[in-house]
Amino acid sequence: LTSSGKLDRRALPSPEISGDSAYVPPETASEILLCRLFAELTGAKEVSVDDNFFSLGGHSLLAMRLISRLRDTRGVSLPLRSVFETSTPRALALAVEAAEHDQAGAVVPGSGQHADGALVLSYGQERLWMLDQLEGGHSAQYNMPLALWLEGVVAADALELSLRALLERHAPLRTVIEAPEGVPAGQLLAMTAIGPILACLDVSGSPDPQAEAAALMSELAAQPFNLAQEAGLKARLIRVSARRHALLLLVHHGACDGSSMPVLLSELSEGYNAAVKGHPSAVVPLAYQYADYAAWQRSWLQQSGELERQLQYWKHELNEAPPLLSLPLDQVRTADRSRRAGHVEVSLSAATAAALQTLSRRHNVTLFSVLLAGFASLLSRLARQETVVIGTPVEGRLAAGSEDLVGFFVNTLALRVELGGEPTLTEVLSRTHATVLAALEHQAAPFEQVVEAVNPERSLAHAPMFQVMFNWQAGQGAGLALKSLSLTPHSLGLAQTKFDLALSLGPTPGGHIHGSIEYDADLFSPQTAQRWAGMLKSLYEQMVQRQETQQPLGLLELTSEVESQKRVAFNATDHALDSALLLPDLFAAQVMKTPD
């Protein structure tokens, strides 16, 4: 424990993860490679050729990384479903040896910069730039704030040095987008043109410095970026007292995404701690830059015909999907509403989380598919629609070596879940898992191009394709760890929401599953959102309690056992009838006097 009694994560030993099967050493070159990759990706200490990738802690995102590593090291391209169907090194080695060579090729360093110095933009960067233009450059919807309370003596100079090292190392953090003739192109800001990144403020003299610092962080987090002029990373250090500060790191989504944050925070920690000691930061040189990845992505998708193939899949998959999920509203849906964000917590016990994990293994699906199936079932019943389309972000790092980069890799998938015909839990899990696998195998098609290809009904009152998101945050990676400082996160949600509902869940160190539902407060009341969160929790619990039955998933209880008992008691009608309670006194008296 730390001096303040909190868990000291940096002092904990690395976990030792091992498989369920007896150790059988690899023999062939493919088996040796796969055992090594399994260990690197899952953190397992020793991997047998018969160990299951998912039993070791693997999930769909790690499976995509595994395929990327195989493409880089062996030049073969496997479909994602092969990892699920042949999930041991022994079985997967046979698939690797039988696979054809991938035609996508490797990322070429330097290919992302044109002769005039302009940088190739990714599809995602172009999409966010276009959205920023539509908002007139005044929207903070794509800000990514990280707020922390720091206890101890802060070395502001060391923090500035480590921040500058980040901008110099990762080009997206200092890439601006210019479009003098309407065509966006990236330009790299010179480090000499960038002023101090860390702005220091002092509120220690205010009547309530803690509250003042919190208000300042909220205010700063809501300030929009000027994408044509500003670097994609801002930092503010607010002095509350001599040994207490607030730190706000603000990154624009076009320069960084969720999977990039662990990279950014790890390097920031290493740089700060080295600077405090007076040592240079020891970082491994990058194999290539994000713009090189963007050039590779465009070349692969356009020249190979892969983009058209994937778009054809999405056109077929989303054909005649309902344009709107008709959830019951508390307020009228209007196009000009403010889209105020509200939040309610969702928490599943460690026992329920473990049971859901066991359920996923029994049906040979991922935990993501199980959670998605439950969420889709709830939405289907609330909206009274058999077809539910839910959006989900996908990591999108399709080239080996991209895991070391900071940038905007994430793409969005529209998952169509069919719940018609009163399917059982087994049937819903099978359908959902098949949908997820097929979507991941076609995840390279940029979402904005999918929308154009499908051409759904458009409305200013709701997002196209889907209005509900599900984000499973499996393994967030390293956080910020600054020498001699105790760090406490400060919750800092954005003021606006992009969707009607957005469910975010993730595992906790204690084995729970925890997260929240972000909802459009201009459509739903806090009471409605809280009730739905309780229904979702109850549905997950019912899924593990009644998994052996063949009862249709749509008939499972949406309320807890305690609430169900209250409802039964409230609706009970087996009490003796007291006519005096039901009829006016005089009439009741007359009735009682009347003989049979």
Side-chain angles (χ1 to χ4, degrees):
L1 302 179
T2 64
S3 57
S4 59
K6 298 179 180 179
L7 184 65
D8 188 352
R9 301 188 185 283
R10 286 174 289 175
L12 293 174
S14 298
E16 293 188 2
I17 304 171
S18 58
D20 298 328
S21 60
Y23 179 72
V24 178
E27 296 179 355
T28 68
S30 297
E31 290 177 352
I32 293 172
L33 171 64
L34 285 164
C35 285
R36 177 173 64 81
L37 292 179
F38 276 33
E40 290 177 0
L41 292 170
T42 66
K45 183 180 180 182
E46 189 175 63
V47 176
S48 166
V49 291
D50 295 319
D51 280 339
N52 187 288
F53 181 72
F54 300 100
S55 296
L56 293 172
H59 47 75
S60 56
L61 294 181
L62 288 181
M64 289 301 301
R65 290 189 183 181
L66 175 63
I67 289 173
S68 176
R69 295 280 189 90
L70 287 172
R71 182 168 54 231
D72 182 58
T73 56
R74 291 290 296 269
V76 297
S77 181
L78 296 177
L80 180 63
R81 66 178 63 251
S82 64
V83 182
F84 288 87
E85 295 169 353
T86 55
S87 52
T88 66
R90 187 196 299 275
L92 197 55
L94 298 176
V96 168
E97 291 165 0
E100 296 180 351
H101 285 272
D102 185 12
Q103 300 299 314
V107 179
V108 178
S111 60
Q113 187 166 18
H114 298 298
D116 60 359
L119 299 178
V120 176
L121 296 177
S122 67
Y123 292 109
Q125 284 177 307
E126 285 188 350
R127 172 161 54 94
L128 292 193
W129 174 83
M130 180 63 71
L131 292 172
D132 183 74
Q133 296 296 298
L134 292 174
E135 295 285 345
H138 304 303
S139 174
Q141 277 197 335
Y142 290 95
N143 285 6
M144 296 178 63
L146 175 65
L148 299 163
W149 298 106
L150 312 183
E151 291 286 349
V153 179
V154 180
D157 291 344
L159 194 52
E160 171 70 19
L161 281 173
S162 56
L163 288 167
R164 294 190 73 82
L166 268 177
L167 264 70
E168 188 168 10
R169 177 173 168 82
H170 296 284
L173 296 175
R174 55 188 176 103
T175 297
V176 296
I177 301 178
E178 300 176 352
E181 298 180 0
V183 179
Q187 297 291 339
L188 195 61
L189 287 175
M191 291 302 299
T192 54
I194 299 176
I197 301 166
L198 182 68
C200 297
L201 307 172
D202 191 339
V203 298
S204 58
S206 66
D208 189 346
Q210 180 89 1
E212 181 74 13
L216 269 176
M217 287 194 288
S218 296
E219 179 185 336
L220 293 168
Q223 291 182 359
F225 280 83
N226 186 329
L227 300 186
Q229 297 179 2
E230 292 183 306
L233 171 63
K234 301 176 183 178
R236 301 291 184 269
L237 183 65
I238 306 170
R239 186 178 188 269
V240 177
S241 66
R243 293 187 58 83
R244 184 168 177 80
H245 290 74
L247 175 64
L248 174 69
L249 298 176
L250 187 62
V251 191
H252 190 269
H253 209 347
C256 182
D257 60 13
S259 65
S260 297
M261 285 302 291
V263 178
L264 187 149
L265 297 178
S266 176
E267 292 189 8
L268 182 60
S269 302
E270 187 171 347
Y272 177 87
N273 296 333
V276 168
K277 297 177 183 177
H279 300 158
S281 179
V283 290
V284 178
L286 297 175
Y288 51 83
Q289 281 289 339
Y290 177 77
D292 302 327
Y293 175 89
W296 170 87
Q297 179 193 41
R298 289 179 178 276
S299 174
W300 171 48
L301 287 176
Q302 295 174 0
Q303 296 179 15
S304 67
E306 183 66 16
L307 178 59
E308 182 58 30
R309 186 188 72 82
Q310 295 203 18
L311 289 177
Q312 287 299 321
Y313 163 80
W314 288 111
K315 288 171 67 175
H316 179 268
E317 173 69 9
L318 300 173
N319 181 43
E320 297 184 357
L324 177 66
L325 184 66
S326 302
L327 294 170
L329 305 180
D330 295 317
Q331 288 90 30
V332 177
R333 183 189 296 275
T334 60
D336 60 349
R337 66 186 186 277
S338 66
R339 291 175 168 81
R340 294 177 298 113
H343 298 84
V344 295
E345 287 192 3
V346 177
S347 187
L348 305 180
S349 68
T352 300
L356 288 170
Q357 185 69 263
T358 301
L359 176 65
S360 71
R361 291 173 181 169
R362 179 175 300 165
H363 291 271
N364 197 30
V365 302
T366 62
L367 181 57
F368 174 88
S369 295
V370 172
L371 295 171
L372 177 67
F375 188 39
S377 178
L378 173 63
L379 295 173
S380 173
R381 294 169 69 172
L382 292 174
R384 299 189 177 184
Q385 293 177 209
E386 292 184 343
T387 301
V388 175
V389 182
I390 302 174
T392 190
V394 64
E395 191 173 276
R397 295 174 183 262
L398 302 177
S402 59
E403 58 268 17
D404 298 326
L405 301 181
V406 169
F408 183 53
F409 294 91
V410 69
N411 195 17
T412 304
L413 305 180
L415 304 177
R416 178 175 180 164
V417 183
E418 295 290 347
L419 294 149
E422 297 188 347
T424 64
L425 173 61
T426 299
E427 291 169 336
V428 174
L429 291 179
S430 177
R431 293 180 190 179
T432 304
H433 186 59
T435 295
V436 171
L437 279 183
L440 288 173
E441 289 176 358
H442 298 87
Q443 65 167 290
F447 178 69
E448 63 277 4
Q449 296 201 29
V450 172
V451 175
E452 290 179 9
V454 177
N455 194 24
E457 177 184 316
R458 303 298 182 99
S459 171
L460 294 176
H462 63 77
M465 305 295 291
F466 56 82
Q467 298 79 45
V468 175
M469 287 282 287
F470 174 50
N471 184 15
W472 172 243
Q473 300 169 325
Q476 293 302 293
L480 199 60
L482 305 181
K483 183 176 176 57
S484 302
L485 290 173
S486 174
L487 281 61
T488 305
H490 174 69
S491 178
L492 199 63
L494 295 177
Q496 287 183 305
T497 182
K498 307 178 188 68
F499 302 98
D500 293 1
L501 293 178
L503 172 65
S504 296
L505 295 175
T508 70
H512 299 72
I513 292 177
H514 186 76
S516 67
I517 294 177
E518 181 181 272
Y519 62 94
D520 188 333
D522 288 334
L523 298 180
F524 311 109
S525 69
Q527 294 78 13
T528 294
Q530 189 67 56
R531 185 170 68 254
W532 290 352
M535 289 179 176
L536 181 64
K537 178 181 178 181
S538 177
L539 186 55
Y540 286 140
E541 292 170 348
Q542 293 287 319
M543 286 170 64
V544 297
Q545 291 171 4
R546 305 190 185 184
Q547 57 183 288
E548 300 298 337
T549 70
Q550 291 303 308
Q551 182 180 13
L553 183 59
L555 297 182
L556 295 185
E557 288 284 348
L558 290 181
T559 54
S560 66
E561 185 175 348
V562 173
E563 291 172 333
S564 297
Q565 291 173 354
K566 288 181 180 178
R567 186 177 70 247
V568 171
F570 181 80
N571 292 329
T573 59
D574 56 347
H575 298 290
L577 178 65
D578 186 347
S579 60
L581 296 176
L582 303 177
L583 305 173
D585 292 344
L586 292 177
F587 184 67
Q590 184 62 37
V591 169
M592 298 304 290
K593 291 178 183 178
T594 303
D596 293 342

